[in-house]
Amino acid sequence: MAALTNYVLTLVTVFSLLFCQPVYGGGCEEEVIKDRVARNLRRTEALLLRHSAREAHDGRSTCLSAAIDHAREAQRLALPSRYEEALSSVGRLMDCVCFQIEQNASIGAPPPGRALGDSFNQACDQARLSFIAIRNLLVHCNPHTATSWSRCGGEGQDHSSSPHLPRKKLKQVGSCVADGTKCQFLPCARLRKLPRCAVGFASSVTGGAAGPYFTVTDPRDDPLSPRPGTLRHAIEAAGKSPGGGWIRFGRGMTVVLEDRVWIGSNTTIDGRQTNVTIVHKGLVLYGLENVILVNIKVVTTGASDTIHIFQGARRVWIDHVTIEEGGLGLVTVAEGSTDVTVSNCYLKDRKFSMLLGASDLDDSDKILRVTVYRNWFDSSGERMPHCRQDQYQYIATVISSSHLLSAILPTQNIMWGYCHVANNYYEGWKYYAIGGRKYAEILSEANVFEPGIRQEVTPWFEQFKDDLTPTIQSSDDLLLNNATFHQFLHNRTLEEPKRKFWNYHLPMAPTHALINLVKACSGALRGEILEKCLHLP
C-alpha cells in the first residue's frame, strides 16, 4: 500500500508539472515537488539496495552499485535546485537499471529471480518518474532564471555587455505540443522552454537551460584570444559555467571561423529569430553531453565535417539547421556517441551526408542510438545516413548430462544500437540514400523517396556480396518515380523504437503531406519562410 501511495503521489507531481505553467508570484509549489522527488529517489535507492547482496549475474553488480550511487547523488543535487546535475545523475541511473532490463529482454535471458526482477522494474519506473519531474523543474523553475528560487518563469540574466535581444512576437499557431517541427517556434517554447519540444532519442536534452544567457554581437573570430561578444568567447564561457549556457544572437551575422570550435556540455546555440551563418570551419562535439544546436546555418567548412559528434558524446539535438558542403561530410556521430536526434535540417553535399558509426573495427558504436527525422536530403551523394554498429555475443552456460561447458550462442545477440530514419524527404541521391554495415539496425519509416539518376534506395545491386549483417527495414515508405527499396532482412526484423525504448516519442506525418511539410520547414527559418511553415495544416 505504501508503495502504491508513493507511486500515485509521484504521478500527481508529474502531471502538475506538465500542465501547470509557473509565473511570477505563484504557480507550482517547487519545494513541495522537490520533496516528493527526493522521496521517490529514496524509494529507488531502497529497491536497489534490497537485492544488491543477491546480485548474481556477471557485470551487473558493478552497475547496480553505480546505480545506487547515482540515486544518492541525484537526491543530494535536487534539493538545492541543482536540477541539471540531478537530471544527469538520474540519466546515468536509468542507463544502469533500465538498460539492464532492456538487455535481458533483447536476449530472452531469464531474470535472476522474480523478486529481484520486480525490484529492478520498480526501480526503473521510479527513476523514470523522477527524471520527468526534474526535467520539468529545470525548464519551469530554474533558479538561474527566476528572481526567487520559489518563483518560476523569469527570463534570466544575460552574462555579456551586449543589449538584450529585441522581443519579436510570433503569432500563436496551434498548441505547444511536441509536434516535431513547429513547436520550436511557438511562444510557449521561447528561449529556455525549447527542450519541451525535443523528440526522438535526444528527447531528454535540456542544453544550457540551467545556465546564464550569452549574447553574440560580434561576427569576428580569434581562436587564440576570443573577444567578448564573439561566438567562440560565448562557447568557452558556457563551457566554464557550472550550469552551462544558453547562447543567442543579438543580430543576424555571418561568423567566419578561423579554426574549428569545440563546444562544451550543457550548451545551447539558439539562432531562432535571427539569420546566423557559420562558415569556413565546423563545430566539434567531443565527449560531452546535453547540447542543442537550433536554427543556424553551417556551410562550406573546408576539409572537415560541418558537425562532428564523437568520443562518447550523448544527448545531442540538432534541429532546424541548414548544413551544406562539408569537406568530409555533413554530420558524423561516432566513437561511442549516442542518444542523438537530427531533425528538420536541410542537408546538401556532393559526396557524404551523415555517417553514424565511423569504422567497422570500432565496437564502441554498439550503443549508437540516433533519430534522423524530417530532414530534406537534397541531391547528395550517399550516406543519408550510413549506420554502423556492433554486437555482443551472449555467452551461456550449457549443462549436459556428463559435464559443464561454456558455449557461445551466436544467434542470441544483444543489439543495443538503433538508427531510426523517419519522415524524411529524399530527392535525387547519386549513389544510395540509406546504407549500413556491421550489424546495424536501421528502420526506415514513413519517408518519401524521389530518385534522380539512381532508383535504388540502398547500396544493393544484383549479385550483391558485400556486408549482409545489417538489418535495413522499410515501413510505410513512399517510393516515387519507380524508386526501389531492397530490404536487408538476413538476420532479423525490427521492433518499432517506441516498443523497444521506454521514453521514445516521435510524431509521424502522413507521407502524402510530407514533401510540402519538409520543404517548407527544413533548415534555419525566419521571417516569411517561418510564417509559411507555421501556417501549414
Side-chain angles (χ1 to χ4, degrees):
M1 178 61 72
L4 179 61
T5 302
N6 187 65
Y7 188 80
V8 171
L9 283 173
T10 308
L11 281 176
V12 170
T13 296
V14 172
F15 278 101
S16 72
L17 281 165
L18 288 174
F19 297 105
C20 177
Q21 301 297 317
V23 293
Y24 282 118
C28 301
E29 295 292 335
E30 183 182 6
E31 295 303 323
V32 173
I33 294 168
K34 285 197 297 184
D35 181 64
R36 291 174 180 171
V37 168
R39 280 188 285 156
N40 192 39
L41 287 167
R42 287 195 294 271
R43 170 67 175 160
T44 305
E45 179 188 351
L47 288 164
L48 296 174
L49 284 169
R50 181 178 300 172
H51 294 288
S52 60
R54 297 169 50 189
E55 183 59 70
H57 279 212
D58 290 343
R60 285 182 56 189
S61 58
T62 301
C63 190
L64 178 58
S65 176
I68 293 169
D69 289 341
H70 293 321
R72 291 169 176 166
E73 182 182 36
Q75 294 174 55
R76 179 177 61 82
L77 294 168
L79 288 178
S81 302
R82 293 167 63 181
Y83 300 137
E84 174 60 42
E85 296 166 90
L87 197 70
S88 180
S89 294
V90 177
R92 288 191 290 269
L93 164 65
M94 290 191 297
D95 280 350
C96 286
V97 179
C98 302
F99 263 32
Q100 185 65 57
I101 295 169
E102 292 173 4
Q103 176 180 332
N104 285 340
S106 70
I107 64 175
R114 180 181 181 90
L116 182 55
D118 288 348
S119 176
F120 264 83
N121 278 292
Q122 291 175 38
C124 179
D125 290 340
Q126 296 292 318
R128 291 170 182 171
L129 291 171
S130 298
F131 187 95
I132 294 170
I134 296 171
R135 180 174 183 265
N136 282 277
L137 279 170
L138 176 62
V139 172
H140 297 307
C141 302
N142 181 3
H144 291 276
T145 63
T147 57
S148 165
W149 282 18
S150 62
R151 294 183 178 183
C152 312
E155 288 298 330
Q157 180 182 0
D158 191 321
H159 283 226
S160 73
S161 58
S162 309
H164 290 282
L165 287 172
R167 293 175 179 241
K168 177 182 176 182
K169 293 187 177 181
L170 282 173
K171 182 178 179 182
Q172 177 81 35
V173 181
S175 60
C176 201
V177 175
D179 69 335
T181 298
K182 302 177 185 178
C183 167
Q184 294 86 308
F185 296 96
L186 298 182
C188 54
R190 189 173 184 270
L191 298 175
R192 288 191 177 100
K193 294 181 181 179
L194 172 65
R196 67 174 58 179
C197 301
V199 295
F201 283 120
S203 61
S204 66
V205 72
T206 56
Y213 289 116
F214 299 93
T215 300
V216 179
T217 58
D218 187 344
R220 293 174 294 179
D221 182 50
D222 184 349
L224 298 179
S225 182
R227 298 179 180 89
T230 63
L231 176 61
R232 190 179 298 272
H233 185 273
I235 289 173
E236 291 186 1
K240 297 174 182 176
S241 171
W246 197 282
I247 299 170
R248 51 188 184 172
F249 297 82
R251 58 184 176 87
M253 64 182 69
T254 297
V255 178
V256 181
L257 291 178
E258 297 299 326
D259 197 0
R260 292 178 296 176
V261 63
W262 296 64
I263 298 172
S265 293
N266 308 317
T267 299
T268 297
I269 300 179
D270 184 354
R272 290 174 298 171
Q273 301 187 24
T274 55
N275 184 8
V276 176
T277 301
I278 298 171
V279 300
H280 193 53
K281 298 292 182 181
L283 307 178
V284 180
L285 287 72
Y286 172 90
L288 49 70
E289 66 174 333
N290 197 26
V291 168
I292 300 173
L293 307 178
V294 60
N295 212 62
I296 58 176
K297 301 175 185 177
V298 188
V299 301
T300 318
T301 55
S304 66
D305 298 328
T306 53
I307 301 174
H308 192 59
I309 305 166
F310 72 117
Q311 201 60 40
R314 54 185 294 173
R315 293 171 60 208
V316 176
W317 184 24
I318 302 171
D319 184 67
H320 283 99
V321 179
T322 297
I323 314 173
E324 298 183 69
E325 298 306 330
L328 296 179
L330 301 183
V331 178
T332 297
V333 182
E335 298 179 18
S337 298
T338 190
D339 293 337
V340 176
T341 296
V342 182
S343 57
N344 302 295
C345 294
Y346 175 79
L347 302 105
K348 183 173 183 177
D349 190 86
R350 298 186 304 274
K351 297 179 181 178
F352 308 127
S353 279
M354 191 179 301
L355 181 61
L356 310 180
S359 170
D360 288 353
L361 303 177
D362 189 353
D363 64 0
S364 66
D365 286 322
K366 59 183 174 283
I367 63 170
L368 178 76
R369 302 192 301 188
V370 179
T371 302
V372 182
Y373 177 65
R374 285 193 191 162
N375 303 290
W376 180 2
F377 291 96
D378 184 8
S379 306
S380 295
E382 58 188 87
R383 300 180 181 176
M384 298 170 256
H386 182 281
C387 187
R388 285 184 180 93
Q389 287 156 342
D390 201 354
Q391 65 171 352
Y392 284 128
Q393 290 185 312
Y394 175 51
I395 301 177
T397 300
V398 182
I399 302 176
S400 70
S401 58
S402 59
H403 61 280
L404 185 71
L405 64 108
S406 180
I408 296 179
L409 307 181
T411 59
Q412 293 183 314
N413 296 319
I414 305 173
M415 305 302 296
W416 288 51
Y418 199 104
C419 297
H420 191 202
V421 184
N423 254 190
N424 301 281
Y425 171 50
Y426 293 84
E427 183 178 22
W429 59 93
K430 305 295 192 302
Y431 175 31
Y432 68 86
I434 299 174
R437 292 179 63 84
K438 200 70 182 297
Y439 300 97
E441 288 192 345
I442 308 169
L443 176 62
S444 172
E445 182 177 8
N447 299 292
V448 176
F449 297 95
E450 189 168 3
I453 60 176
R454 191 169 190 269
Q455 293 178 311
E456 171 58 36
V457 171
T458 74
W460 180 87
F461 54 88
E462 292 292 341
Q463 317 268 315
F464 184 88
K465 295 181 181 179
D466 202 355
D467 190 347
L468 295 174
T469 62
T471 299
I472 307 177
Q473 181 174 320
S474 174
S475 174
D476 298 323
D477 289 323
L478 177 60
L479 304 173
L480 302 176
N481 301 339
N482 300 314
T484 59
F485 195 125
H486 181 89
Q487 300 186 83
F488 286 64
L489 302 174
H490 301 84
N491 292 321
R492 63 182 53 76
T493 56
L494 302 179
E495 281 187 283
E496 294 180 75
K498 64 183 178 182
R499 297 181 181 275
K500 188 170 182 177
F501 303 101
W502 68 268
N503 62 340
Y504 198 81
H505 168 67
L506 200 68
M508 301 297 288
T511 52
H512 67 81
L514 189 65
I515 294 179
N516 288 339
L517 174 64
V518 172
K519 281 191 169 183
C521 299
S522 64
L525 305 177
R526 65 185 298 272
E528 293 181 1
I529 298 175
L530 173 58
E531 292 294 339
K532 179 181 177 182
C533 168
L534 293 178
H535 284 86
L536 278 178

